[in-house]
C-alpha cells in the first residue's frame, strides 16, 4: 500500500454549532476510529450541490465506518444566518452532520481556498487527502476502502452507527418551492422542489388540486403517480400546450401534459455534463448540467444551465439542444453570446415585447439580458459588477447592488421585477430610467414571481408558500448595504508567481492521454491588468505568472481540469473520471509575500 503524507487534522470549530446531531456537539476526538470526510460547502454554490449528490452513494455504502461532515462556510452575508443554514440542510436533504461555521474558522484552519473542498481524515485523526471541486467521489471511495482495510488490520477502525440524527419532518403543502407558472384558468403550477414533485394549486394559491410525481427522488416518466423528479425548478409553457420542467438534479428537461397528466423527457440523459462532452445534438442523447430555469424566447426554449454557467436552447421542431451563450468560465463578461461569461444563471424571463431575455445571474448578484445582434445574440449587464460585490442598494443601476437573485419577472411597462433572494426582497429595474428600486421587503428567500392581474404572486421559498403582492406606486426605502466576499487575500511577492495546481491521480488510475493532453488550465485576473504575462489557456497544471508592477491587489481566476482512467492494460474499456474546479483567489501584492501559489485539485501538496 502506498505511503501517504499524514498531517494532524485541526479541530472542528464553528460558532453556529452542529446540525443533524440531536443537539450533540462533537470534536475530532469523538470521531476517532472513524474515517471522516469534511465537505466544505456553501448553499449558494451549485458545484457544492453537485458534490452533495456525488457523496450520497458513498455515504450509504460505508455508513458504519465513514462519517461525512458538512462544514458550512458562507460566501454571502445571508448564508451566515443560522436559520438559513438550517433551511438549506433540509432543502437539499443533507443526511449527515453539519457544522455551521459563519466566521470561516475551520475553513481557515484547513487552508481551504475554494467551494467545494473535500478533506479526508483517517481513523487516527490525520489528514490524508484533499480534493477541490467536483468529480472526486470515485477517488474518495477507493481511498475509503484502503483506509478500512489498513485500519481494520491495525485495530484502529471503529464500526457502528454514526452521529447523524434526522430532524423531525414538518407538514406543509409545499416544501421549499422553487418556481411557479400561471395556468390558463387562473391556477398555479409550482415546482415543489424538496419533495421532488409538481403541485397544482387553485387561484387562491393555497388549495391543492393535484400532485404530479411520486414525491420521491428519482428519474422516471409516466402518469402523476409514476413520474419521478429530482429537485425540479423552472417551468415554461411550450407552443403545443405542454409544460416544460427544469428537472435540476436529474440534469434533464421534462414535459408535463396538463390534459393527460403524463410526464415525458425532452432533453438530457440523467448524467451530468462534463468538459469534453457534446454541446449540441439530439436532445435525449446530450448530457446537461443542473438546468435551473427555462423560458420561451426567439422560437426556442432557453435553458439556464446553472451547473456550467451557460445558456442552452432546446428546439422542439428538431428535438435538439445546443449551447447558446457562455463559455463555461464563471464570471461577468458581456459581449457576443459565445464569448460571454455567466455565474450560475438561475432565472429567465422574456421581456413584454419579446425582444430581450432577462437573466438572473445569481453568483454575480447581477441582472443581465440577451438581445439579438446581427445574425446572433449578445449579452449585456444591467445591474451587477462581479463575483465578489453584493448588497442592498437602490439608485442608478451602475452602483446598485443585489444579493444572489434567483428570479426575474417581466413587467408590462418594459421593466423587470427581481427576486432578490438573499436580501429577502423584491426589486425592480427600469431600463428607461436606469434606476433600481425596492418594491417589497420581509419576504423569505423569494425565488420566483408570477404576474397576475397587475399583482405579483411571489414564491417565498423558505416560507413554503405563494404570497400575493400589490405592486406599490412608490418604492420602499431601505438602508444601503454593501458587502464583499469575506475571504482573506493571499499575500504574494512582486515579480513572478509560480502557480501549481496539485493533482495526484487516484489509486489504480493514471492520466488519460489516449486522445491528447488530459489536463487543462485557464488563468485570468480581475482586473486583467494584474497579470503582465501568463493569462489564457494551456495544458500544463503549472504556470509562471508575471505580475504587473503597478497593480497591488486583485483576484486570480484559475480553472483546472484533469481526466484519469483505470490503469489496467488488460481492460479494453477503462472507467474514466473528470476532476475539475474553479478558484477565485483574492491576492495582495507586496514585499514579504509568497512566490508560489499551490491549489490542490486532488491529493496533498508535498511542498506545503
Amino acid at each position: 500500500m502506498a505511503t501517504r503524507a499524514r498531517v494532524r487534522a485541526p479541530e472542528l470549530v464553528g460558532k453556529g454549532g452542529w446540525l443533524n446531531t440531536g443537539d450533540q456537539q462533537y470534536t475530532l476526538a469523538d470521531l476517532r476510529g472513524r474515517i471522516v470526510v469534511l465537505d466544505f460547502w456553501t448553499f449558494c454554490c451549485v458545484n457544492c450541490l453537485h458534490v452533495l449528490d456525488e457523496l450520497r452513494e458513498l455515504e450509504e455504502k460505508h455508513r458504519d465506518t465513514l462519517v461525512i461532515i458538512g462544514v458550512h462556510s458562507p460566501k454571502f452575508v445571508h448564508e451566515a444566518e443560522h436559520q438559513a443554514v438550517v433551511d438549506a440542510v433540509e432543502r437539499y436533504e443533507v443526511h449527515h452532520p453539519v457544522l455551521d461555521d459563519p466566521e470561516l474558522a475551520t475553513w481557515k484552519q484547513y487552508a481551504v481556498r475554494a467551494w467545494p473542498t473535500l478533506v479526508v481524515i483517517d481513523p487516527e485523526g490525520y489528514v490524508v487527502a484533499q480534493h477541490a471541486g467536483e468529480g472526486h467521489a470515485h477517488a474518495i471511495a477507493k481511498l475509503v476502502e484502503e483506509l478500512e482495510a489498513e485500519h481494520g488490520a491495525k485495530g484502529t477502525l471503529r464500526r457502528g452507527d454514526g452521529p447523524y440524527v434526522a430532524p423531525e419532518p414538518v407538514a406543509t403543502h409545499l416544501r421549499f418551492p422553487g418556481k411557479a407558472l400561471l395556468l390558463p384558468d387562473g391556477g398555479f403550477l409550482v415546482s415543489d422542489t424538496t419533495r421532488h414533485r409538481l403541485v397544482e394549486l387553485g387561484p387562491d394559491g393555497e388549495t391543492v388540486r393535484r400532485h404530479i410525481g411520486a414525491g420521491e427522488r428519482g428519474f422516471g416518466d409516466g402518469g402523476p403517480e409514476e413520474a419521478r423528479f429530482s429537485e425540479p425548478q423552472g417551468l415554461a409553457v411550450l407552443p403545443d400546450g405542454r409544460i416544460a420542467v427544469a428537472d435540476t438534479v436529474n440534469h434533464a428537461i421534462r414535459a408535463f401534459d396538463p390534459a393527460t397528466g403524463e410526464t415525458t423527457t425532452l432533453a438530457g440523459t440523467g448524467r451530468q455534463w462534463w468538459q469534453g462532452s457534446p454541446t449540441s445534438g439530439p436532445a435525449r442523447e446530450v448530457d446537461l448540467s443542473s438546468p435551473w430555469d427555462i423560458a420561451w424566447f426567439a422560437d426556442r426554449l432557453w435553458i439556464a444551465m446553472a451547473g456550467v454557467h451557460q445558456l442552452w436552447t432546446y428546439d422542439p421542431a428538431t428535438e435538439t439542444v445546443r449551447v447558446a451563450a457562455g463559455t463555461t468560465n464563471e464570471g461577468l463578461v458581456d459581449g457576443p453570446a459565445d464569448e460571454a461569461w455567466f455565474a450560475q444563471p438561475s432565472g429567465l424571463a422574456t421581456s413584454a415585447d419579446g425582444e430581450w431575455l432577462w437573466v438572473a445571474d445569481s453568483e454575480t448578484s447581477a441582472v443581465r439580458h440577451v438581445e439579438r445582434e446581427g445574425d446572433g445574440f449578445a449579452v449585456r449587464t444591467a445591474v451587477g459588477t462581479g463575483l465578489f460585490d453584493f448588497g442592498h442598494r437602490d439608485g442608478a443601476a451602475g452602483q446598485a447592488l443585489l444579493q444572489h437573485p434567483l428570479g426575474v419577472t417581466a413587467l408590462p411597462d418594459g421593466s423587470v421585477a427581481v427576486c432578490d433572494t438573499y436580501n429577502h426582497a423584491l426589486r425592480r429595474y427600469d431600463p428607461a430610467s436606469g434606476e433600481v428600486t425596492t418594491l417589497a421587503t420581509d419576504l423569505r428567500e423569494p425565488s420566483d414571481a408570477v404576474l397576475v392581474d397587475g399583482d405579483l404572486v411571489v414564491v417565498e421559498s423558505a416560507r413554503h408558500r405563494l404570497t400575493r403582492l400589490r405592486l406599490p406606486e412608490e418604492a420602499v426605502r431601505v438602508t444601503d448595504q454593501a458587502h464583499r466576499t469575506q475571504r482573506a487575500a493571499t499575500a504574494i511577492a512582486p515579480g513572478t508567481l509560480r502557480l501549481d495546481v496539485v493533482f495526484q491521480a487516484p489509486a489504480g488510475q493514471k492520466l488519460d492521454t489516449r486522445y491528447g493532453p488530459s489536463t487543462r488550465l485557464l488563468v485570468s485576473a480581475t482586473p486583467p491588468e494584474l497579470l503582465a504575462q501568463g493569462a489564457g489557456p494551456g495544458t500544463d497544471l503549472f504556470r509562471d505568472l508575471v505580475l504587473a508592477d503597478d497593480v497591488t491587489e486583485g483576484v486570480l481566476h484559475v480553472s483546472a481540469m484533469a481526466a484519469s482512467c483505470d490503469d489496467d492494460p488488460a481492460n479494453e474499456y477503462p472507467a474514466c473520471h473528470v476532476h475539475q474546479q474553479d478558484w477565485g483567489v483574492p491576492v495582495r501584492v507586496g514585499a514579504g509575500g509568497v512566490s508560489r501559489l499551490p491549489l490542490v485539485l486532488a491529493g496533498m501538496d508535498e511542498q506545503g
Side-chain angles (χ1 to χ4, degrees):
M1 189 172 296
T3 302
R4 296 187 205 91
R6 281 161 46 104
V7 176
R8 177 62 73 180
E11 191 50 82
L12 304 178
V13 179
K15 189 175 181 180
W18 290 81
L19 306 176
N20 282 355
T21 63
D23 295 326
Q24 178 72 36
Q25 306 299 299
Y26 282 90
T27 67
L28 279 176
D30 298 325
L31 302 171
R32 197 63 51 83
R34 310 299 291 270
I35 301 163
V36 177
V37 173
L38 304 181
D39 175 15
F40 289 88
W41 70 298
T42 189
F43 62 78
C44 73
C45 159
V46 71
N47 310 92
C48 300
L49 304 185
H50 291 166
V51 168
L52 284 176
D53 288 300
E54 289 178 5
L55 294 176
R56 293 187 198 279
E57 182 179 348
L58 177 71
E59 189 170 26
E60 183 59 36
K61 183 177 180 181
H62 298 275
R63 186 167 293 280
D64 66 333
T65 61
L66 172 68
V67 175
I68 295 177
I69 294 175
V71 183
H72 189 268
S73 313
K75 171 186 175 180
F76 289 98
V77 169
H78 169 59
E79 293 173 308
E81 297 176 14
H82 183 69
Q83 185 58 47
V85 181
V86 172
D87 288 345
V89 167
E90 180 189 351
R91 181 194 297 265
Y92 296 115
E93 295 187 311
V94 180
H95 292 164
H96 50 250
V98 172
L99 177 64
D100 181 10
D101 183 20
E103 297 176 344
L104 303 182
T106 298
W107 164 290
K108 294 170 186 173
Q109 286 295 313
Y110 281 82
V112 175
R113 293 185 181 275
W115 299 277
T117 291
L118 299 168
V119 176
V120 183
I121 301 171
D122 73 12
E124 295 178 288
Y126 290 91
V127 174
V128 293
Q130 182 170 323
H131 302 264
E134 304 178 50
H136 301 294
H138 173 77
I140 292 176
K142 296 278 288 184
L143 178 55
V144 167
E145 291 173 359
E146 289 183 9
L147 291 171
E148 284 178 340
E150 176 184 340
H151 289 273
K154 290 174 64 176
T156 50
L157 183 69
R158 177 166 56 90
R159 294 180 180 270
D161 293 336
Y164 172 68
V165 177
E168 290 293 323
V170 181
T172 53
H173 290 313
L174 301 171
R175 205 70 190 160
F176 298 104
K179 306 287 184 180
L181 182 73
L182 182 65
L183 298 172
D185 66 356
F188 300 91
L189 188 66
V190 183
S191 54
D192 193 14
T193 305
T194 296
R195 291 195 175 132
H196 314 295
R197 64 187 181 184
L198 310 179
V199 177
E200 185 178 323
L201 302 175
D204 62 359
E206 296 181 6
T207 303
V208 176
R209 290 174 168 174
R210 59 174 167 170
H211 297 123
I212 298 96
E216 297 178 356
R217 187 187 297 272
F219 190 3
D221 292 341
E225 296 180 359
E226 293 81 31
R228 293 202 174 197
F229 302 90
S230 188
E231 299 182 28
Q233 288 279 351
L235 305 165
V237 179
L238 295 169
D240 64 5
R242 291 182 297 166
I243 296 172
V245 183
D247 194 6
T248 305
V249 178
N250 278 329
H251 311 294
I253 304 298
R254 316 291 291 283
F256 166 63
D257 188 334
T260 66
E262 292 288 312
T263 296
T264 55
T265 299
L266 294 180
T269 63
R271 298 183 300 270
Q272 184 182 340
W273 186 94
W274 290 99
Q275 291 288 349
S277 301
T279 56
S280 64
R284 288 184 294 275
E285 299 176 16
V286 177
D287 299 340
L288 308 180
S289 183
S290 296
W292 209 276
D293 203 7
I294 45 182
W296 189 260
F297 171 67
D299 300 320
R300 300 285 189 277
L301 184 72
W302 285 64
I303 306 167
M305 205 75 77
V308 286
H309 318 300
Q310 290 181 313
L311 304 181
W312 287 43
T313 58
Y314 166 74
D315 183 353
T318 59
E319 297 186 344
T320 57
V321 292
R322 61 178 293 273
V323 173
T327 65
T328 76
N329 295 323
E330 184 179 17
L332 193 152
V333 176
D334 289 344
D338 60 353
E339 299 176 10
W341 292 21
F342 293 93
Q344 237 170 275
S346 302
L348 299 177
T350 304
S351 63
D353 60 8
E355 293 299 312
W356 285 5
L357 179 70
W358 291 107
V359 182
D361 203 27
S362 62
E363 279 292 288
T364 53
S365 297
V367 173
R368 309 173 72 183
H369 74 265
V370 177
E371 62 183 37
R372 294 175 175 84
E373 185 174 82
D375 295 331
F377 296 93
V379 177
R380 304 281 183 257
T381 296
V383 185
T385 60
L387 285 166
F388 301 99
D389 293 290
F390 58 92
H392 193 150
R393 179 192 289 156
D394 288 333
Q399 57 84 54
L401 294 171
L402 310 168
Q403 186 179 178
H404 199 82
L406 290 179
V408 281
T409 305
L411 300 179
D413 63 359
S415 65
V416 60
V418 183
C419 285
D420 193 7
T421 309
Y422 287 4
N423 280 328
H424 309 301
L426 188 68
R427 312 283 293 282
R428 176 177 177 264
Y429 166 67
D430 183 359
S433 66
E435 294 285 313
V436 174
T437 52
T438 297
L439 300 178
T441 57
D442 193 31
L443 300 167
R444 187 69 187 173
E445 294 193 14
S447 55
D448 196 21
V450 180
L451 189 66
V452 182
D453 297 329
D455 295 342
L456 279 174
V457 174
V458 179
V459 179
E460 276 198 272
S461 187
R463 285 199 177 116
H464 321 292
R465 70 188 188 191
L466 304 187
T467 299
R468 188 161 184 146
L469 299 176
R470 182 65 50 83
L471 283 175
E473 293 185 7
E474 292 188 4
V476 177
R477 295 190 179 275
V478 296
T479 303
D480 285 356
Q481 297 181 14
H483 306 287
R484 296 213 81 200
T485 301
Q486 295 303 304
R487 282 186 289 161
T490 298
I492 58 176
T496 300
L497 176 69
R498 175 69 171 206
L499 173 65
D500 282 325
V501 174
V502 177
F503 178 77
Q504 295 156 5
Q509 294 200 344
K510 64 178 181 179
L511 288 173
D512 178 19
T513 57
R514 293 171 298 165
Y515 308 109
S518 61
T519 56
R520 186 191 70 157
L521 181 65
L522 176 67
V523 180
S524 63
T526 302
E529 296 77 20
L530 175 65
L531 291 179
Q533 295 179 35
T539 56
D540 293 323
L541 291 181
F542 59 87
R543 191 174 301 177
D544 287 328
L545 308 178
V546 180
L547 304 169
D549 294 332
D550 55 350
V551 181
T552 58
E553 62 179 1
V555 178
L556 290 175
H557 303 283
V558 180
S559 177
M561 183 274 288
S564 61
C565 291
D566 291 342
D567 188 10
D568 182 0
N571 187 353
E572 186 177 357
Y573 302 104
C576 297
H577 304 272
V578 176
H579 319 262
Q580 65 181 40
Q581 173 63 359
D582 297 330
W583 291 267
V585 184
V587 295
R588 186 178 62 256
V589 184
V594 299
S595 58
R596 175 178 177 265
L597 178 62
L599 300 175
V600 177
L601 179 60
M604 297 284 283
D605 178 23
E606 303 295 348
Q607 299 183 48

